[in-house]
Amino acid sequence: MLTVSHLSKQYAGNPAYSLEDVSFTISNGEIVGLIGKNGAGKTTLMKMMAKAQRQTSGSIVYNGADIFSHDDMLDRFGIMIQPVFVPNISAEDNLRFYLGIHGDTAHERNIRPVLELVDMWRYRNRKPAGFSFGMKQRLALALALVNDPEFLILDEPFVGLDPDGVLQLITVLKQWAAERSIAMLISSHQLNELQELCDRFLFIKSGRLAAEFTGETGEITVIELSRPLTDAERASLIAETLQNSGRSAATIAPDGTSVEIDARSLELNKTIAALASTAGIKAIHDKSTQLNNYFGEGR
Amino acid sequence: MTVLIFKNLIRTKETSILFVMACFMLILPIVNLFNSDFMRISGEPESVSFLDFLAGEFDVQNMLILPMVVMAYLVVTAIYTPVATGRMFLYKDLSRTTIINAKVLALLGIYTIYVALQVAVTFGLYYLYIVRFDYASGLFLPASDASAAADVISIAGVVFGELLTIMVAVALATRFSTGIIMFGSILWICLCATLPQLAGARYAVPGGYGTLLPSLGLPVTLLLMLALSTVYAAGLYAYARRRFSRLEY
């Protein structure tokens, strides 16, 4: 499990924080999507997790150990934040070099399978300096996957892949997460792919963790209200939509400005009627578009 | 890690250029075909030994400056570029001291091959070509110990100066961009060339200790040059290691 606690980053000479008081956890086998507009702090967060940048305050603990306490704590991590490679040696030699500097020659058996996975095996003897951007991206992905990592940090992994490649990557990542309990933090602007892949999402806005929500798609209806519900209206709604389980079918947002309910709930009509007659309904949409709304909000 | 980095560096174009420059003296037979004073060797009959010729070869390489410019560019490739391009992500969080040590050792390995190539090419050229001329003695060492000592000090001055050029480039590469690295390296090379001519400043560079040879003898003079170079190298290495360990990218 990875636990990020009150992580902040302030660059020298800059009064503003690039990342401020971010806290979250990622469990083994969980795939978490990281979304936010350009400049929100996603890459800063990933770079601190990769120890390419030092934190101003806060901690990152992986399996009970603070990753900043010693060197070589990221041995079981696979990292793809930007396409990186040694330009004057072949693609295959790049993987050998990467495994060699980490003393991990045992994983050289993975070189062919991983290069085949990212459709780069036929280019294994070519030097990356002559690759297209997409090919460089796929080589970087191979470097992140070759050592059978337990935790993956992937920044825009779908860029450069054709639709078949995207589908294949999604399938493999989901399979790896399920079978090998690999945890992943994936940042992407390709929301459909993220939605297909991720269990949970973290929304970063202006350096802060603005929202955290699960990846329920298409089955949750979100009802946005014209005004926040009063305490009395909250209590009334909960009472009206009580289910046999003793829990309300409707989930009211903490600020009372929206209500979520299962799209197939028996209490759906009652909920809509109650809200229309009290706070008033501004919009109704399913949860799958909420991802787009968060991202669009950040534009 | 040193071996892996060395294997990558030796496959770069910069290294190929450096090794070609090590063979620069091979143009001597071609130059001698023309009636020119360029690279003309002369002397009393049977006065030029292999060591004398080798000292001259090191002097010529040093005056060219180009080999050290290429070496500085190799330092840029090994140390600055991986940070600037983010290639450091490949190393994840391996010890930065281990990484910088491996890179420096790999660079010194390339330099060692460069020097060895010079010696080998000079050896072959002397015994296959130069010995035909009447100024060549055909002997490995000069006839007099004083000449031999002077040759050793001359070669040591060049080698120490070049090793420090590499360390200057390494230190600069942990903080500055390519332009500053090249400028700083060339500035050091120029200081090594000019300061020995100045009475008040000659002892600030390894090549300025030749004047002490008659009074102090070879071992002590060599020791002084080594001590000075070690102090400089240690300071530059300490700076580079500290800067590299704190780099963010």
Side-chain angles (χ1 to χ4, degrees), chain A residues 9 47 51-54 71-75 77 82 84-85 87-89 93 97-98 100-102 143 147, chain B residues 1 4-5 7-9 11-12 84-96 245-249:
Chain A
K9 175 67 177 178
K47 283 186 174 181
K51 294 172 73 174
Q53 309 241 339
R54 287 184 303 281
D71 293 323
D72 209 17
M73 299 289 284
L74 302 182
D75 183 50
F77 278 54
Q82 58 191 80
V84 291
F85 45 81
N88 63 308
I89 59 176
D93 284 346
F97 174 76
Y98 171 72
I101 59 176
H102 292 281
L143 285 162
N147 68 330
Chain B
M1 190 189 297
L4 289 167
I5 294 173
K7 282 183 180 176
N8 285 350
L9 283 180
R11 289 151 82 169
T12 59
T85 60
R87 204 186 307 156
M88 284 294 295
F89 282 117
L90 290 176
Y91 295 90
K92 289 197 283 192
D93 69 334
L94 292 175
S95 160
R96 295 281 182 92
S245 70
R246 299 190 61 78
L247 273 175
E248 294 187 333
Y249 51 91

Side-chain angles (χ1 to χ4, degrees), chain A residues 86-142:
Chain A
V86 182
N88 63 308
I89 59 176
S90 71
E92 187 174 358
D93 284 346
N94 260 273
L95 277 96
R96 288 190 197 286
F97 174 76
Y98 171 72
L99 292 171
I101 59 176
H102 292 281
D104 194 6
T105 51
H107 281 112
E108 284 187 1
R109 66 179 188 276
N110 286 352
I111 289 177
R112 177 164 186 165
V114 159
L115 284 177
E116 286 177 338
L117 174 68
V118 299
D119 195 27
M120 288 295 291
W121 177 246
R122 55 195 158 129
Y123 305 113
R124 64 190 180 281
N125 293 320
R126 282 177 51 181
K127 294 177 184 174
F131 284 175
S132 67
F133 177 79
M135 293 166 76
K136 290 175 184 175
Q137 188 83 349
R138 290 180 351 233
L139 176 60
L141 192 55

